[in-house]
Amino acid sequence: MTLLANDLKLDVTPLSGAIGAEIRGVDLRDPLDDATIRAIRDVWLDRKVVFFPGQDLDPDQHLRFAAQFGEPTEGHPVIPGIDSHPEVFEIDYTASRELYASYGDISTRYRGIHWHTDVTFVARPPMGSILRAVVVPPSGGDTLFSNQQAAFEGLSPALQAFLSTLTAVHDGQAQFKGVFDRVGEGKWEGATLSKLEPVEHPVVRTHPETGAKVLFVNPGFTSHIKGLERPESDALLAFLYEHSVQPEYTVRYHWQQGTIGFWDNRATQHAVAGDFGEQHRVIQRVTLRGDAPV
Ligand code: SIN
C-alpha cells in the first residue's frame, strides 16, 4: 500500500490482520511536514503500532521525532534517563543482572518482559512510546504487540457491557519497587515521586482519538478489579489476559538495528520474547504524555 503525503511517498505494509505496519520512504532524521505527520498518525491510529526500518537516529533525533507526535515525558517515572537526554531511557537487558533482577518480572533468566501496557500505574498513562532498537541480538528478542480494541470487540456483547461498568486498580509496586528503592525517587508530570501509589482506571476505556472501546487491563500492572471478591477478580483478569493476547489480535516483530517502533499505548499491550539468552539486547525509549482514561 502506498500513501501519498504531499509529494512524499509513504510505503505502508500491514504486518498482520489486526495490528502493525512497516512504514518506509521517510527519513526520520529530518523534521516532518504536517501532511506527513498526519499521514503517519492516521496509519498509527489504525494499525496501533508502526515500525520504521532502516533508520539511524541519535538520541537527539529520536527525541525530536517523538516530539512531533506529542509531548515527551520525563522518560519513565522510575527508570532514570540517559545522561545526555533525561527524556530518553535505556534498557540494556544484558548489562546488569542485579539491576534487572530488581525489576521483579524482568527476568534475568529469560530476559523478557511479560505482557503489559506502559506505565498504567499512574493517573495519566502514556499516549504512546517510541522505541529505538540500539543493539539487536542475532536471533530472538522480538517484541509482540496485541490490539486491545480488537480484543474488546472479540468479546460477547453481554461481557462487553459488564466489563464497561468496572474499574480496575493498577499498581507499579510489584514490578518497580526494587528499582525505586535503588534510585531513591522518580519524576512524573513535573512532580517528584517518593513512592508509587495505586491508581484506578476503567476496565474498558474510550480511545480519545478514535472513539473506539478498548480493553484496558494488563498483567504487568493491574492488581485487581474493584467491587469483586478477590477470587472473582483473579479469575476474570486471568480470562481477560489470556483472551487479550490471542494470536489473531497480535503481531510479532523482529527488530533490525536502528528500527524505530511507535505504539499507541492506549490501545495495545506488548511483551518482549525472552528467548535471546546471553545475547546483547539494548533499546532506548521516548514516552509521550497521555490523558486520564475514561
Ligand atoms: C518496553 O516495554 O517498552 C520495552 C519493549 C522492548 O524492549 O522491546
Side-chain angles (χ1 to χ4, degrees):
M1 167 163 62
T2 299
L3 292 181
L4 285 177
N6 286 349
D7 55 355
L8 178 89
K9 276 191 186 150
L10 274 190
D11 288 330
V12 179
T13 308
L15 295 175
S16 79
I19 182 170
E22 268 186 340
I23 301 182
R24 295 170 194 272
V26 56
D27 186 341
L28 303 186
R29 289 173 303 185
D30 301 331
L32 304 174
D33 59 55
D34 289 349
T36 307
I37 293 172
R38 190 67 249 167
I40 292 173
R41 196 173 189 101
D42 286 349
V43 177
W44 174 71
L45 286 171
D46 180 44
R47 301 304 303 172
K48 316 289 190 262
V49 56
V50 291
F51 304 94
F52 300 85
Q55 303 290 335
D56 182 23
L57 307 191
D58 61 24
D60 220 36
Q61 293 161 335
H62 182 184
L63 187 56
R64 248 193 353 250
F65 168 69
Q68 296 172 108
F69 292 88
E71 183 195 348
T73 63
E74 290 84 346
H76 190 278
V78 181
I79 304 173
I82 60 175
D83 289 345
S84 59
H85 294 78
E87 306 89 342
V88 180
F89 75 87
E90 177 170 288
I91 303 180
D92 181 333
Y93 289 77
T94 354
S96 159
R97 275 183 178 274
E98 303 88 73
L99 177 64
Y100 293 111
S102 74
Y103 275 43
D105 279 324
I106 298 179
S107 155
T108 52
R109 182 154 163 237
Y110 298 109
R111 300 195 187 284
I113 308 181
H114 61 50
W115 286 101
H116 66 287
T117 300
D118 290 332
V119 192
T120 63
F121 53 87
V122 297
R124 284 169 289 279
M127 171 181 93
S129 296
I130 297 115
L131 180 150
R132 181 166 74 95
V134 179
V135 180
V136 176
S139 57
D142 299 352
T143 308
L144 292 85
F145 293 85
S146 184
N147 178 339
Q148 298 306 285
Q149 177 186 333
F152 179 72
E153 290 166 359
L155 296 166
S156 66
L159 188 52
Q160 287 179 347
F162 175 56
L163 293 174
S164 300
T165 66
L166 299 176
T167 299
V169 176
H170 295 240
D171 190 346
Q173 278 287 109
Q175 189 158 145
F176 285 117
K177 185 178 181 320
V179 183
F180 214 98
D181 289 348
R182 224 169 236 258
V183 298
E185 61 178 34
K187 291 223 178 322
W188 194 251
E189 298 195 327
T192 300
L193 304 177
S194 57
K195 59 180 175 169
L196 297 174
E197 301 284 2
V199 298
E200 295 179 5
H201 298 306
V203 167
V204 179
R205 73 179 291 182
T206 303
H207 193 287
E209 289 186 76
T210 66
K213 299 284 182 197
V214 176
L215 195 53
F216 199 65
V217 288
N218 72 87
F221 304 120
T222 308
S223 63
H224 62 281
I225 295 177
K226 276 180 68 177
L228 302 185
E229 297 296 335
R230 237 352 139 102
E232 295 170 338
S233 167
D234 289 349
L236 182 55
L237 286 174
F239 165 75
L240 292 175
Y241 295 157
E242 191 180 340
H243 168 79
S244 61
V245 299
Q246 289 188 71
E248 60 266 39
Y249 306 136
T250 70
V251 67
R252 177 176 181 138
Y253 193 73
H254 184 65
W255 302 95
Q256 307 292 334
Q257 186 174 335
T259 297
I260 296 289
F262 177 18
W263 58 90
D264 185 342
N265 195 56
R266 303 160 298 186
T268 54
Q269 290 191 53
H270 58 278
V272 182
D275 60 350
F276 49 102
E278 300 301 314
Q279 300 176 94
H280 203 191
R281 185 181 193 276
V282 182
I283 62 98
Q284 290 187 355
R285 202 179 90 192
V286 175
T287 309
L288 298 176
R289 217 173 280 302
D291 51 10
V294 287

